[in-house]
Amino acid sequence: MSQQLPDVQADAPDVTVGLSQVGVTGVEKLVKIARNGKRPIVLMAEFEVFVDLPSWRKGADMSRNMEVIDEVLEAATREEAYRTEEVCGDAAERLLEKHDYTTKAEVSMEAEFVRRERTPATDRETQHTVDILASATATEEGTREEIGARVVGMTVCPCSQGMSVARAKQKLEDLDVAEGKITEFLDEIPQPGHSQRGHATLTVEADGDPDVDLNDLIDVARDSMSARIYNLAKRPDEDHMTFDAHSDAKFVEDCVRSMAEGVVDRFDGLADDAVLTMKQSNDESIHQHNAHAERVVEMGTLRAEVNGD
């Protein structure tokens, strides 16, 4: 006769304080994303899974959480999903159903995604990597899903470039170059400024299917910086990237505002209550610190600001 094991997690805690998140992190699973008419994309994804915990309960059922996440993600791998965020949403909803003591379940996922592209000057095929970010929060009111990406690019500081422009102008004046020629030269040839590698993050959170194409999100984030960067770059490509970046110098704040403009232009059909998270972080090249800017805003508010309403 088997002995009934005690459910210690269901006991009352010594300190009756509720917890907003209890769960597991670092759960690695394969996820298969379907594509119309093409082979599916297989991602090695890392998940975080949380539920809230009331003050009267000592612990969450960690084994039950893992059982549910295994069931959901194994099914997603076998059957294929069309959106990474729906995998998170399905898992969050099932977690909520399995726990009679919880009011909220959260599942987030991060995975590396590889896209093919061509170099800007030599037109050679190459690849670039993107971090896919997906999550979902399930409550009794419904499920909110989030999809987004974190990308890498290049930025040039307008301030240091402005000082270089002033120096070049002074030198050309000392050489008795005509004012019109100086202006023409400086308009055509961007002057140096300190550059840095930039990291742009863009996510969209909405009820149900937000109807957002992940590739469009990636493109908006990449184009918000001074220039795109590429894994493969011959000398003509390097020259192209350098010229492009210095022709469009941007502060970290400018990158977030450029991202906002791109979102409104590309995703104007998003519901007003969709929440946009836009972040830019630059690895500064002449400082030991880094620069950061971000905005979290509902689509209706952002649309009004960008359009000047």
Side-chain angles (χ1 to χ4, degrees), residues 14 16 20 44 61 77 83 87 99 111 142 181 183 262 274 294 307:
D14 295 333
T16 54
S20 55
M44 173 55 78
D61 296 310
T77 302
R83 298 183 298 114
V87 177
H99 297 76
K181 290 295 184 181
T183 301
E294 68 178 81
N307 294 332

Side-chain angles (χ1 to χ4, degrees), residues 249-297:
K250 290 180 177 178
F251 291 121
V252 67
E253 299 94 335
D254 296 323
C255 294
V256 174
R257 290 175 173 132
S258 179
M259 212 182 308
E261 189 175 39
V263 165
V264 171
D265 179 61
R266 193 75 67 95
F267 304 111
D268 193 49
L270 275 176
D272 283 348
D273 65 350
V275 177
L276 284 303
T277 299
M278 300 167 289
K279 300 179 182 180
Q280 179 70 28
S281 295
N282 290 342
D283 299 334
E284 291 287 347
S285 58
I286 63 170
H287 305 294
Q288 288 188 328
H289 59 264
N290 296 325
H292 181 86
E294 68 178 81
R295 177 73 187 279
V296 179
V297 62

